[in-house]
Amino acid sequence: MTDVVTASTSGGPAVRARGVRKSFGATEVLHGIDLDVAAGEVVVLLGPSGSGKSTLLRCINHLERIDGGSVLVDGVLIGFREHSGRLYHLPHRKVCQQRQSIGMVFQGFNLFPHLTVLQNIIEAPVGVMREPRDEAVARARELLARVGLEDKADEYPRRLSGGQQQRVAIARALAMRPKLMLFDEPTSALDPELVGEVLSVMKDLAEAGMTMIVVTHEIGFAKEVADRVVFMDDGRIVEQGPPAMVLENPENPRTRLFIQAVL
């Protein structure tokens, strides 16, 4: 894949999280997370269920409102504005504008069942970005070719396999020309034989230089594609480093137990 721009216009990290805290009721699920992601870097978040991985991902694009700390994407404070040293919540419309530069792919495919594949992909560029329809259609067809589904443009989601639907979801996210892609266990809902086709598309994206944060239990993908593996447990970052270090020679006992269990 080509046509991926990763340079951070801010000159700093593509993502900078500082002291991010999040609670659901009385339960604190993120305990002051600090994380930087460089432009073009692929970071894989590993950890047991309930460790806060997906919550952190959703906080980065403000699908979950953080209770403390800050998240910057390409130097832009997400979900808030700062004035006189204090943070104020942005209105929903402004948050939606910020999210346009952050693509997200979920466990479920979240495609509109009443729209064709092509219509799903052009919906946001035309309806939100006001992109001319002919330009949006041309780019949608190009993206479908990149994910190996050029012949499925006129199909409806129900006629596609799970792997095909997830590849359409990736193409739909890319149609907004995001600076950052977030993947929340994108293969967990797929039959084992379909996992490879989705991971292949993600690998192509990584090779094209897309900045990516991926929540997954696919250890092979982490070894082959990730620049850095971040292991989380109980809402904290326990260990992080190059895949070979974290996956093959982890220092933290909790990391070792998890890797042994997964493998």
Side-chain angles (χ1 to χ4, degrees), residues 25-246:
T27 303
E28 189 170 14
V29 294
L30 294 179
H31 303 273
I33 297 292
D34 293 336
L35 180 68
D36 284 357
V37 179
E41 187 178 17
V42 179
V43 172
V44 167
L45 301 182
L46 290 180
S49 297
S51 60
K53 310 180 302 297
S54 294
T55 299
L56 176 58
L57 214 62
R58 293 171 64 87
C59 286
I60 289 172
N61 68 355
H62 210 67
L63 283 175
E64 298 289 352
R65 179 183 290 184
I66 63 176
D67 298 317
S70 63
V71 176
L72 284 82
V73 174
D74 199 25
V76 176
L77 184 64
I78 300 298
F80 299 87
R81 64 178 178 86
E82 184 176 3
H83 180 69
S84 300
R86 297 188 63 183
L87 296 180
Y88 298 87
H89 293 294
L90 289 177
H92 179 70
R93 177 176 57 86
K94 291 288 188 181
V95 174
C96 289
Q97 289 176 351
Q98 291 184 331
R99 288 197 193 113
Q100 292 173 14
S101 65
I102 306 171
M104 187 160 185
V105 178
F106 301 87
Q107 297 178 38
F109 319 122
N110 294 344
L111 300 177
F112 296 114
H114 63 290
L115 299 180
T116 66
V117 164
L118 185 67
Q119 290 168 339
N120 264 279
I121 296 173
I122 70 171
E123 178 74 10
V126 173
V128 177
M129 300 293 289
R130 304 302 179 191
E131 187 173 322
R133 182 181 172 83
D134 58 344
E135 294 180 14
V137 167
R139 178 160 174 78
R141 293 190 183 280
E142 175 188 326
L143 290 169
L144 283 173
R146 290 179 177 180
V147 300
L149 294 172
E150 59 268 41
D151 60 335
K152 302 296 184 181
D154 298 322
E155 296 283 5
Y156 286 88
R158 65 180 179 273
R159 296 178 60 85
L160 303 180
S161 70
Q164 289 171 332
Q165 290 188 60
Q166 193 63 294
R167 284 186 280 158
V168 172
I170 294 172
R172 181 178 61 180
L174 293 174
M176 296 295 284
R177 296 179 171 85
K179 298 175 181 177
L180 167 69
M181 285 288 288
L182 308 176
F183 294 87
D184 188 7
E185 299 195 40
T187 61
S188 64
L190 301 179
D191 292 333
E193 65 268 22
L194 301 177
V195 169
E197 63 189 58
V198 174
L199 294 181
S200 177
V201 171
M202 294 170 62
K203 180 182 177 182
D204 288 344
L205 272 180
E207 291 175 347
M210 174 63 75
T211 308
M212 299 165 56
I213 305 177
V214 183
V215 173
T216 184
H217 292 306
E218 297 291 339
I219 299 298
F221 175 85
K223 285 183 177 180
E224 183 179 2
V225 180
D227 297 299
R228 181 162 38 118
V229 170
V230 175
F231 180 77
M232 294 182 64
D233 188 41
D234 192 28
R236 296 175 174 86
I237 293 177
V238 174
E239 186 168 357
Q240 60 179 306
M245 182 184 79
V246 176

Side-chain angles (χ1 to χ4, degrees), residues 231 233 238-239 246 249-258:
F231 180 77
D233 188 41
V238 174
E239 186 168 357
V246 176
N249 191 30
E251 296 180 355
N252 188 280
R254 184 66 187 91
T255 312
R256 284 199 296 271
L257 285 173
F258 177 82

